[in-house]
Amino acid sequence: MNRLRGDSVGLIMLSAGRRIAIASILVAALWALFFWATSTPGGL
Amino acid sequence: MWELLFQPFVDFGFMRRALLGCVAVSVGATPLGVFLMLRRMSLTGDAMAHAILPGAAVGYLVSGLSLGAMTIGGLIAGMAVALLSGYVTRMTSLREDASLAAFYLISLALGVLIISTRGSNVDLMHVLFGSVLALDNAALTLLCVIASLSLFMLALFFRPLVLECADSQFLRSVSRLSAVSHFIFLTLVVMNLVGGFHALGTLMAVGIMILPAAAASFWTTRISGLIALAAAIALLASYSGLLLSYHYSLPTGPAIILVAGAFYLVSVVFGIQGGIVQQTRTVSAVEI
């Protein structure tokens, strides 16, 4: 833990709303991948 | 090159499903692995991964290879071990690592006993080593829901979680969120391990959580960088492991974890934040 530096330009400086916005983008990408993987026909 | 790297995922549905399962585990579990590592709780994750086994086994006994029953059983067993070991630590002179080790060993033995007496060796192998190439829609939905929930909860409780890592006494003195964030963190760890065991098995689920985090710690000391790099390593290890498994007919879970292990070993040697080469150069410079 003593190696962990401050995060002056990172996630910790963002408001919770902005972090949730970033999380929403990642979640949207994950579910887009879900629909691609489960709906595209082909193979087994 | 296209055929080597992308064709398996274009041609085969089971490869796409495996990739999605691995991506979900990577984005959900790896950031938690970073926090586990920063809290010096890496082995706690391993213990919890084993602790979910009897719950999954009871779920299996009740309704066969049912996703819901095994998930709920695993969640209950994992949370029970976490809470019981915490209770014993507070009420006795035993330290937390010892009480957790005791409970997880009892839990693991109980799980293997239940599965062995009522199931077959194939069932035991399924629970211990997962079946990432056989993920159905229900399992994938579960993995994606757990990953989504993890991302949203991490976004919401990011500051308390970081403060808990840096100075838990300070967090306790300035906020009531300490206990809440700790409980949410443990719940997320158990949920991700339960999700991960469907894909990678109880023995390997913790690997995708800890190895990328440990590898990333040799390259950056910023927490945002650690999370991003750990997730990137987990994704790359998953993709490479799936391809290796496909082209060389290797078992998928171990292939993914071994690639993550290779990233870790390379980082141990060449990492710019305390890697062996960097440490050796620093010592040489001091001697000169």
Side-chain angles (χ1 to χ4, degrees), chain A residues 1 3-8 10-14 19-20 23-24 27 30-31 34 36-38 40-44, chain B residues 11 13-14 16 20 38 137 140-141 144-145 147-148 151-152 155-156 158-159 162 165 217 221-224 273:
Chain A
M1 197 49 240
R3 290 174 59 211
L4 184 64
R5 257 190 229 147
D7 205 25
S8 57
L11 286 171
I12 202 163
M13 291 305 289
L14 296 178
R19 286 197 299 269
I20 288 172
S24 303
V27 168
L30 181 67
W31 283 100
F34 174 87
W36 169 72
T38 55
T40 317
L44 297 172
Chain B
D11 285 347
F14 71 89
R16 286 195 295 274
L20 171 65
L38 292 176
N137 276 4
L140 286 174
T141 307
C144 287
V145 167
S148 306
L151 286 171
F152 280 127
L156 204 57
F158 190 74
R159 278 183 193 166
V162 174
C165 294
S217 71
T221 51
R222 290 185 184 279
I223 190 139
S224 308
Q273 296 289 343

Side-chain angles (χ1 to χ4, degrees), chain B residues 131-211:
Chain B
S131 49
V132 72
L133 294 180
L135 292 171
D136 57 12
N137 276 4
L140 286 174
T141 307
L142 177 76
L143 286 172
C144 287
V145 167
I146 289 173
S148 306
L149 196 63
S150 301
L151 286 171
F152 280 127
M153 294 310 273
L154 281 174
L156 204 57
F157 288 94
F158 190 74
R159 278 183 193 166
L161 285 172
V162 174
L163 272 177
E164 182 94 10
C165 294
D167 192 343
S168 57
Q169 297 286 346
F170 172 72
L171 179 63
R172 248 172 257 161
S173 67
V174 297
S175 168
R176 292 177 192 164
L177 281 175
S178 174
V180 178
S181 68
H182 187 67
F183 180 74
I184 287 172
F185 177 68
L186 275 182
T187 309
L188 288 178
V189 169
V190 173
M191 278 174 60
N192 275 277
L193 288 172
V194 171
F197 103 81
H198 289 297
L200 297 167
T202 53
L203 296 183
M204 301 282 176
V206 77
I208 204 74
M209 217 178 227
I210 298 297
L211 280 171

Side-chain angles (χ1 to χ4, degrees), chain B residues 21-65:
Chain B
C22 291
V23 168
V25 172
S26 299
V27 297
T30 309
L32 293 169
V34 170
F35 285 108
L36 277 175
M37 186 189 66
L38 292 176
R39 289 175 170 207
R40 297 178 184 171
M41 287 172 69
S42 302
L43 286 175
T44 304
D46 191 37
M48 298 302 292
H50 293 75
I52 63 177
L53 192 60
V58 171
Y60 166 74
L61 280 186
V62 172
S63 46
L65 282 172

Side-chain angles (χ1 to χ4, degrees), chain B residues 3-6 8 15 242-250:
Chain B
E3 282 181 10
L4 191 73
L5 295 179
F6 303 109
M15 287 295 284
L242 280 171
L243 284 175
L244 281 173
S245 159
Y246 176 82
H247 289 298
Y248 297 101
S249 303
L250 300 171

